[in-house]
Amino acid sequence: MTATRVLVLNSGSSSVKYQLLDMRDSSRLAVGLVERIGEETSRLKHTPLAGGAGSREREEPIADHEAALKAVAQELAADGLGLDSPELAAIGHRVVHGGLKFTAPTVITDEVLAEIERLVPVAPLHNPANITGIRTARALRPDLPQVAVFDTAFHTTMPEAAARYAIDVRTADEHRVRRYGFHGTSHAYVSRRTAELLGKAPEDVNVIVLHLGNGASASAVRGGKCVDTSMGLTPLEGLVMGTRSGDLDPAVIFHLARVGEMSVDEIDVLLNKKSGLIGLCGDNDMREIRRRVDEGDEEAALAFDIYVHRLKKYIGAYYAVLGRVDAVAFTAGVGENAAPVREAAVAGLEELGLAVDGALNSVRSDEARFISPEYARVAVAVVPTDEELEIAAQTYALVENRNA
């Protein structure tokens, strides 16, 4: 029996998201989430997608990631999809930061895991949780290939002119300070899917990808390769986000420390958790912000305008970087669902060949589609992202190539 299933794990500090896919047809067999790991009452929601069974939920103490994955294994086994199945080809792990060393999906060895640990200082919130998930999964299935798929890998093709900050080179190299970028699996998937929509090969297409969720990032993709992206050393830089400030004069930090007498940790919390949309108007849900805008709320309207202004600046900047743009693709929660954001981001850019058709833009759909009029020189598309499928596909391709 040929093993064709891939389990995708996304381990957070107190959660594990998972999906089991069959790569014969890229179908999902089960999806689920374990949250509040380590708290008094944890929650596991498991949804088998084959056979028509409904979701199951458990609320009980789940002490750590090992207990969480064992609980996931039990739920999968109850549907005949257990981790001991001979049809399971590999486990693919989302790893946020791969630095410059990891430019492609990588089979996890002790040496690879040690290098991921060495990157913890540049990803202190994410890599430790990813490492915990990897260790736990390896302990449960030490015989099974485990593959790390890195958020940063897609962006390692950026030229040095885009990746370097203009600070002392020795200091930057010593402390690994440079632009790494994130959301790479989403940008890879969406840029390739956009090329398919255009009926062209990725190598023949230039795309600006706008991944707009609670975290948000933009990328300039030339011929299937990233040449610039908005997030930097960390996911804080770039677009206005749900709770992150995005671009900021670095001297604001010095000012807050000297004049506001704020500690480094306090400023860190301010910029990452109390800024962006929630800092501007108290809401980080775009649906609620638009409701308030429609009711005449000036604070929400200003927050929306600041969000769109930054977004429009990046579209223009990446147009300049690419020189020729074939498509602008909106994706992720806000990008896929907030028609007013898409309309406002493109408004006024007609001289660049960009336009949105109001009727097409207002249609809600889970399908990839164009929302620009036929006469537009640059296509504007909505392309639902699928990071789990991208991780599974990269994992399966690597394992198949090793076995070939």
Side-chain angles (χ1 to χ4, degrees), residues 3 5 25 34 77 79 91 163 165 226 229 274 288 303 395:
R5 295 175 182 172
D25 56 4
V34 188
D79 301 315
I91 298 178
Y165 292 112
C226 178
T229 192
K274 297 182 179 180
E288 181 63 16
T395 297

Side-chain angles (χ1 to χ4, degrees), residues 133-291:
I134 290 169
R135 283 188 174 138
T136 303
R138 290 181 84 198
L140 288 175
R141 282 298 307 268
D143 58 313
L144 197 68
Q146 313 256 343
V147 175
V149 178
F150 299 91
D151 271 12
T152 50
F154 183 65
H155 303 302
T156 57
T157 56
M158 283 188 293
E160 286 292 278
R164 284 275 185 181
Y165 292 112
I167 66 172
D168 173 69
V169 172
R170 292 182 183 84
T171 301
D173 288 347
E174 180 181 355
H175 300 290
R176 305 190 191 194
V177 176
R178 62 185 289 118
R179 182 180 309 284
Y180 293 101
F182 300 89
H183 296 145
T185 52
S186 177
H187 287 279
Y189 176 85
V190 171
S191 60
R192 190 175 63 252
R193 186 74 183 90
T194 303
E196 291 176 5
L197 269 184
L198 292 169
K200 298 181 179 180
E203 307 83 61
D204 299 327
V205 173
N206 291 354
V207 184
I208 297 172
V209 178
L210 304 172
H211 177 108
L212 309 180
N214 194 49
S217 60
S219 68
V221 183
R222 177 185 292 125
K225 295 183 178 180
C226 178
V227 294
D228 206 348
T229 192
S230 58
M231 285 180 168
L233 173 71
T234 75
L236 179 59
E237 189 180 3
L239 302 174
V240 176
M241 303 176 224
T243 66
R244 298 182 192 132
S245 65
D247 290 341
L248 188 77
D249 178 354
V252 170
I253 296 170
F254 313 144
H255 178 79
L256 293 175
R258 292 168 182 157
V259 178
E261 298 183 345
M262 295 177 68
S263 69
V264 170
D265 287 343
E266 288 173 329
I267 297 171
D268 191 336
V269 170
L270 171 70
L271 298 182
N272 278 290
K273 297 182 178 180
K274 297 182 179 180
S275 295
L277 292 171
I278 206 164
L280 290 167
C281 69
D283 272 311
N284 64 330
D285 187 322
M286 185 57 72
R287 293 165 296 187
E288 181 63 16
I289 291 170
R290 282 304 311 175
R291 184 193 65 77

Side-chain angles (χ1 to χ4, degrees), residues 71 81 369 379 402:
L81 304 169
R369 61 201 186 277
R402 289 177 79 226

Side-chain angles (χ1 to χ4, degrees), residues 69-136:
L69 280 186
K70 285 181 177 178
V72 170
Q74 290 172 359
E75 293 296 333
L76 290 169
D79 301 315
L81 304 169
L83 295 189
D84 59 350
S85 169
E87 295 183 66
L88 187 60
I91 298 178
H93 297 265
R94 179 196 180 213
V95 179
V96 167
H97 216 307
L100 294 180
K101 186 176 180 66
F102 299 113
T103 62
T106 304
V107 174
I108 298 168
T109 63
D110 291 342
E111 292 73 23
V112 168
L113 193 55
E115 182 61 27
I116 296 172
E117 287 187 277
R118 280 193 284 273
L119 289 163
V120 165
V122 290
L125 299 178
H126 298 95
N127 273 31
N130 302 153
I131 291 165
T132 299
I134 290 169
R135 283 188 174 138
T136 303

Side-chain angles (χ1 to χ4, degrees), residues 357-396:
D357 180 289
L360 294 175
N361 188 40
S362 64
V363 173
R364 294 183 67 88
S365 172
D366 294 330
E367 299 297 320
R369 61 201 186 277
F370 293 120
I371 58 171
S372 48
E374 289 187 9
Y375 65 77
R377 192 169 72 250
V378 178
V380 180
V382 179
V383 180
T385 192
D386 198 334
E387 295 175 87
E388 289 77 16
L389 177 58
E390 182 70 17
I391 292 170
Q394 291 189 27
T395 297
Y396 188 65

Side-chain angles (χ1 to χ4, degrees), residues 277 290 293 298 300-311 344:
L277 292 171
R290 282 304 311 175
V293 170
E298 293 183 3
L302 179 58
F304 182 82
D305 288 346
I306 292 170
Y307 182 95
V308 170
H309 180 79
R310 184 82 54 83
L311 188 55

